[in-house]
Amino acid sequence: MRTIWNGSISLGLVNIPIGLAVATQRKDVAFRTLHRECKTPIQQKRYCPFHEREVERDELVKGWEVSKGEYVIVEEEDLEAVALQRSNSIEILRFVELAQVDPVYFDRTYYLAPASAEAQRRPYVLLLEAMKETKMAAVGKFVLWGKENLCLIRPYEDSLALETLFFGEDVRSHAEIEEAVHETEVNDAELTLARQVIESITGEFDPEEFKNEYREDVREMLEAKVSGQEIAKPEPVPEAPVVDLMEALKRSVAESKGTAKAPARKKAASGGGTRKRRAPARKSA
């Protein structure tokens, strides 16, 4: 497997040789921007609107915006002064339960490939089996492409995977959303029907079952254009009418069961109580 970074996992006094391999890759259809008249790809130019001319690469400099339109100039030597020392080691800082790390912190997935020599693979397999038995994941840090990365190492089937993580300051607050949720009431009847909808379409997760239909449609359209076929425009989808929440839930349950009408439970038919989600009480200072 092709690796983009080679180093080791530092676990106390144990160094585990590994290679970092890209685990995911988008296969979206890519387009070039062309001049309609001659079908020539358009080039992106470096243009200065103040001098009204194109500029060369050696005329460029980095700038950090202090306020609107005001910048602090940053030279390469300034960045070198604070640059991280290159390290080929992923330092494990802590072991945690995987369920404690919310997916909102996940950035990108990589595979960790073991060393080719059998003797060097033993620490890799030992760490993998120990983490599988304890159901733990490892939080660590490493430097990739000159930037410090927080990461999570976890078992993935019979190998190790590495997730680069967002730092806490990178994740935006959702307090405004929580406040809106806590102030919204739902009743028991609605909640009962909502659970029935969930239960009716519950199953195992198999990623092979889910296809990117838009991507497939784009490819079919491109193949049709190449072969000279006329592309038929789809009929516009009518806007969905606004319906009563309880009625929509009942219909959803009925459709999932393949029946014309879902039998109403006595508890669901009654008005039931209402539930108001309240924000947890704040601790006093």
Side-chain angles (χ1 to χ4, degrees), residues 6-76:
N6 293 283
S8 64
I9 298 172
S10 176
L11 178 58
L13 299 178
V14 179
N15 284 327
I16 305 171
I18 51 91
L20 199 67
V22 175
T24 58
Q25 181 180 4
R26 288 281 186 182
K27 295 185 178 179
D28 294 330
V29 179
F31 297 100
R32 294 288 301 275
T33 301
L34 311 178
H35 183 194
R36 181 181 291 274
E37 181 179 343
C38 60
K39 309 298 187 293
T40 303
I42 296 300
Q43 297 179 356
Q44 300 296 327
K45 301 291 186 180
R46 292 181 292 271
Y47 182 81
C48 174
F50 181 82
H51 289 96
E52 298 182 344
R53 66 177 178 87
E54 293 180 27
V55 295
E56 300 297 329
R57 187 175 297 275
D58 59 7
E59 296 181 78
L60 304 180
V61 68
K62 291 182 173 65
W64 181 64
E65 191 169 17
V66 181
S67 58
K68 187 68 174 179
E70 295 186 2
Y71 301 88
V72 170
I73 300 301
V74 180
E75 304 289 352
E76 289 300 323

Side-chain angles (χ1 to χ4, degrees), residues 127-197:
L127 177 61
L128 170 63
E129 294 301 323
M131 291 176 70
K132 287 168 70 173
E133 286 189 10
T134 58
K135 295 181 172 58
M136 301 296 277
V139 177
K141 282 185 177 182
F142 74 112
V143 178
L144 177 65
W145 296 320
K147 294 183 179 180
E148 184 177 53
N149 289 268
L150 186 66
C151 68
L152 183 84
I153 299 173
R154 62 181 179 88
Y156 177 67
E157 298 179 352
D158 287 329
S159 65
L160 290 173
L162 180 144
E163 310 278 351
T164 52
L165 301 176
F166 290 109
F167 287 92
E169 62 182 331
D170 298 329
V171 179
R172 299 175 63 184
S173 170
H174 61 294
E176 185 177 344
I177 299 173
E178 286 187 330
E179 183 179 353
V181 170
H182 292 148
E183 294 301 320
T184 303
E185 297 179 356
V186 296
N187 61 50
D188 290 338
E190 293 169 340
L191 193 56
T192 297
L193 285 171
R195 281 198 295 261
Q196 290 179 27
V197 174

Side-chain angles (χ1 to χ4, degrees), residues 232-243:
K233 292 185 178 180
E235 294 294 330
V237 179
E239 293 186 7
V242 178
V243 297

Side-chain angles (χ1 to χ4, degrees), residues 218-268:
V218 170
R219 286 174 176 158
E220 288 179 5
M221 176 270 292
L222 293 173
E223 291 172 1
K225 288 183 73 70
V226 170
S227 60
Q229 299 179 32
E230 183 177 350
I231 308 300
K233 292 185 178 180
E235 294 294 330
V237 179
E239 293 186 7
V242 178
V243 297
D244 179 76
L245 177 58
M246 284 290 291
E247 184 62 26
L249 288 170
K250 290 177 181 177
R251 288 182 185 177
S252 299
V253 173
E255 290 179 3
S256 65
K257 292 182 177 179
T259 58
K261 185 177 181 181
R265 295 185 180 181
K266 290 183 179 180
K267 182 179 179 182

